[in-house]
Each structure stands twice: as C-alpha cells, then as structure tokens.
Amino acid sequence: MSKQVDRNFLKTLTPLNGLKPENQQDLATKTHIQALGAGRYIFKQGDADKRTIYVVNGEVELRSGDDVVRTIKAGTSEARHPLAPQIPRQVSARAKTDIEYLAIDSDLLDIMLTWDQTGAFEVGEIAVEEESEDGDWMTMMLQTKAFHKVPPANIQAMFMRMEPVHKKPNDPIIKQGEDGDYFYIMTEGTAIVTRQTPTGQEIKLAELSVGDSFGEEALISDAKRNANVTMTTKGMLMRLSKDDFNKLLNEPMLNWVEYTQAQKIIEDGGQWLDVRLPGEFEDNHQQNALNIPLQFMRLKLSQLDEEMPYVVCCDTGRRSSAAAYILSERGYHASVLKGGLSSVPQ
C-alpha cells in the first residue's frame, strides 16, 4: 500500500531540496510513500537497482552480512540523505520496526538535477581572442580552445554534416521544455536567449551574434531545454544533430577515467572537483575535494587553476560530464570519473 508524498517533505531531503519548486512538485506527483513490515528488506547487499531511498517513518538497519553497521531513524539528520546510495549496494537495508519509505527513480532524479543546474546557463558563448575582420564563423570557431582537442578529421566531418537553417526576425530556434536535439552555431544575424519563470515572467539571459554557439549542455546531460532562443534579426545558423555532436565533439573533449586512474591523478598533484549540490557534498565526498555545483561552474571558473588537473565527479557522471565539457571548452585539464561516486566502494 502506498500514499502520495507531500512536496513540503521533499524540500527537507538532500539533494531534492536543490530542485526548483516546479520540479519538486512534478516529482511529488510521480512518487509515493510505501510501507514495509519489521524484519523485511528494502534492498540487499549487492543489489544494483537504481533507486534513491529515504526513511520516512520508523527505523532501518544497514547491515553487512549479519552485522548491523548503522541504524537510521526517520526524522534525524541522517534520514535527510539517501540510504546507502552506492551501486551496487554495499550493505543491506532491513526494517528494524514497521517503516514507511520513499523510493525515487535515480535516473529521473539525476536528470532533474542536471536540468535545473544547466538551465540558467544553457547558452555557451564561444570566446574569441581575435575576431576575424570578415566575420568568418568557421575561423572564429577554430580559434577557440574548444576545438584544440578535437581531431582534424572530426572537425572536417562536423562541417560536412552541419545543416544550414535560415531564420526570420522573431522565429524561434529553441523552445524551453523541448528535448535537446541540435547543437547550433550562429553564422548570420542576432538572437536573444530568454527563460520563462514558473510565474510566467520572461527573463533575458543573453544575446547571441555571429560565432556564438549554444545548445550543447542539454545534449550532454540528456536534459530538456531550459531556455528559449529567438531570432531578433534575419539570419542563418548551422546545426549539428545530437548524435553527431556527441560522436564528433563531445566524446573527443571528455576524458573518462576509472576510480583507480582518478586516484593516480590526485596522487600526482591533481584535485577532485565535485559538482553536486552542497547538501550532497556534505553528506559524503572525496578527501580534499573542491565543491562547485554545476549551475555555478561558469560563474566560478576564475577560482580554478588553469594548470591543475581536475577529476570532475557527481553521483553518476551525468552532471560531471556537462561540467567537464565546460572546463575543456575553456582550456582546463578535466577528467570525468566514470560511473560517478555511486560506483565507488566506500
């Protein structure tokens, strides 16, 4: 038997308290509180089910074999965090008393968190050291650090596969809430980036002109568009499909590492860069890790050392891959922890 969860309760849980109110409400409609009798198991050691679980009422024992490692009681500070989030499960979770618990699809939660944290920074403006006098957008792109790591054959294939799109003033290019489908580069004209708030207010985020690119973060994180992009003049864009973008641009720029490789980078003078929310970071993190949540990455780049090798991490690798792309695009040395912290043995 299950019952609907209250959004106000979700606001007390980490990292759910980092979701925007509309996404908390959406999650509340998709989630139910479930009951379980004393002595029964929520999950067992070694299970690989992708569920994020919280104790709502009662007490739960975390067990390794026959030994009780810890007891989590509803309403305590520990209960605000997920039960044993590592996958596969490092311990079993057994109801010490009759309990109520909340189980959320981990992939859904991770996508929501990524969506929220990339939405306000949907637009990735390409920094150009010297603008070409003739406005050649290809030259402008190839001058950026983003393309220094991409093999020449990939760049050639990218230009061959790009499609031109002609637009008139006020024509929409990207609509908030839609699935990410293309990576765009402005080749003629100008556009405006706006975001609609839950109250219906439209906020201006940025202006785009020749050489600016946008749309990549939604493709990397597999999230919905969180901004509108609308032409302000007549113009033209070149677009690259999601599959081509990931194969030709995203994959070459991301350096995935296993945990043992990550440890070697740290031992050799690198640093962990954790892009989860502060509440998630406080619950558990790698030693001496730096915490910059994904949504603040663009704003806090000046705090990072351009010579430092960073290992970027989150729960699963979804948010950290989006952050690593931002860093690599700007010339930082960034590797991504494969599988995220959830796959790391405690």
Side-chain angles (χ1 to χ4, degrees):
M1 186 174 178
S2 63
K3 60 183 180 182
Q4 193 74 44
V5 66
D6 184 352
R7 182 175 76 84
N8 289 325
F9 176 68
L10 296 184
K11 290 164 61 176
T12 68
L13 305 176
T14 299
L16 278 60
N17 53 5
L19 289 171
K20 291 184 172 62
E22 62 267 32
N23 281 337
Q24 288 175 345
Q25 185 58 49
D26 186 39
L27 192 60
T29 63
K30 293 181 171 70
T31 309
H32 294 80
I33 294 175
Q34 303 178 54
L36 193 67
R40 298 185 63 188
Y41 286 84
I42 305 174
F43 55 78
K44 293 190 176 181
Q45 194 168 357
D47 285 355
D49 57 317
K50 293 186 177 181
R51 296 185 300 159
T52 300
I53 296 171
Y54 299 89
V55 185
V56 178
N57 284 304
E59 296 182 50
V60 171
E61 295 175 338
L62 299 182
R63 304 169 69 95
S64 178
D66 294 329
D67 298 327
V68 177
V69 177
R70 188 182 306 165
T71 300
I72 309 295
K73 184 177 181 180
T76 63
S77 59
E78 280 188 303
R80 291 202 297 268
H81 299 278
L83 284 178
Q86 287 78 18
I87 301 296
R89 304 290 185 184
Q90 305 296 301
V91 293
S92 300
R94 180 178 179 271
K96 182 178 180 180
T97 65
D98 289 347
I99 66 165
E100 289 183 323
Y101 70 96
L102 193 62
I104 300 169
D105 182 282
S106 297
D107 283 335
L108 172 64
L109 176 58
D110 194 46
I111 287 172
M112 281 186 163
L113 286 165
T114 306
W115 181 1
D116 275 5
Q117 294 179 55
T118 59
F121 304 95
E122 179 72 18
V123 178
E125 294 185 4
I126 291 184
V128 182
E129 295 180 3
E130 296 181 4
E131 291 191 9
S132 58
E133 293 181 1
D134 61 358
D136 182 350
W137 64 273
M138 288 189 183
T139 302
M140 295 170 70
M141 284 192 61
L142 295 175
Q143 287 175 346
T144 67
K145 293 179 180 179
F147 288 87
H148 293 178
K149 298 181 180 180
V150 180
N154 287 37
I155 295 176
Q156 183 181 15
M158 179 195 75
F159 286 136
M160 291 177 64
R161 297 183 191 182
M162 278 187 155
E163 306 170 343
V165 181
H166 295 273
K167 293 290 183 180
K168 297 179 293 185
N170 301 317
D171 278 355
I173 306 167
I174 281 178
K175 293 183 180 180
Q176 184 175 334
E178 290 184 341
D179 291 329
D181 51 2
Y182 289 99
F183 167 70
Y184 291 92
I185 301 170
M186 185 75 66
T187 62
E188 292 178 19
T190 59
I192 187 172
V193 186
T194 60
R195 176 177 170 82
Q196 192 167 23
T197 68
T199 60
Q201 181 184 3
E202 196 165 51
I203 300 173
K204 178 181 175 181
L205 298 178
E207 293 181 352
L208 302 174
S209 57
V210 175
D212 288 337
S213 66
F214 56 95
E216 75 274 14
E217 289 175 26
L219 305 186
I220 297 169
S221 58
D222 203 21
K224 301 281 187 181
R225 301 289 193 187
N226 261 292
N228 300 299
V229 180
T230 308
M231 293 297 297
T232 50
T233 67
K234 178 183 177 181
M236 187 177 81
L237 306 100
M238 299 297 287
R239 70 182 188 184
L240 188 67
S241 72
K242 179 178 179 178
D243 286 345
D244 284 338
F245 171 81
N246 284 323
K247 291 175 184 175
L248 299 174
L249 295 184
N250 183 30
E251 290 179 10
M253 289 178 63
L254 293 184
N255 179 38
W256 294 89
V257 294
E258 302 285 352
Y259 185 64
T260 53
Q261 296 172 288
Q263 287 179 309
K264 182 67 166 57
I265 294 172
I266 303 305
E267 290 169 3
D268 291 342
Q271 184 171 25
W272 288 103
L273 178 57
D274 194 318
V275 298
R276 297 174 299 164
L277 295 168
E280 297 174 275
F281 180 78
E282 290 169 8
D283 183 41
N284 102 81
H285 58 265
Q286 296 298 301
Q287 187 175 5
N288 298 323
L290 176 65
N291 181 217
I292 300 181
L294 174 59
Q295 71 264 43
F296 299 129
M297 186 61 62
R298 293 183 189 275
L299 297 177
K300 296 192 175 182
L301 286 172
S302 60
Q303 297 181 11
L304 300 178
D305 183 351
E306 291 187 4
E307 302 302 320
M308 172 71 70
Y310 290 102
V311 179
V312 191
C313 59
C314 68
D315 289 15
T316 64
R318 183 178 277 115
R319 282 180 277 175
S320 50
S321 63
Y325 185 94
I326 294 171
L327 294 173
S328 295
E329 191 179 31
R330 285 154 179 77
Y332 289 87
H333 304 286
S335 302
V336 191
L337 179 62
K338 189 174 183 179
L341 294 171
S342 296
S343 64
V344 175
Q346 287 185 315

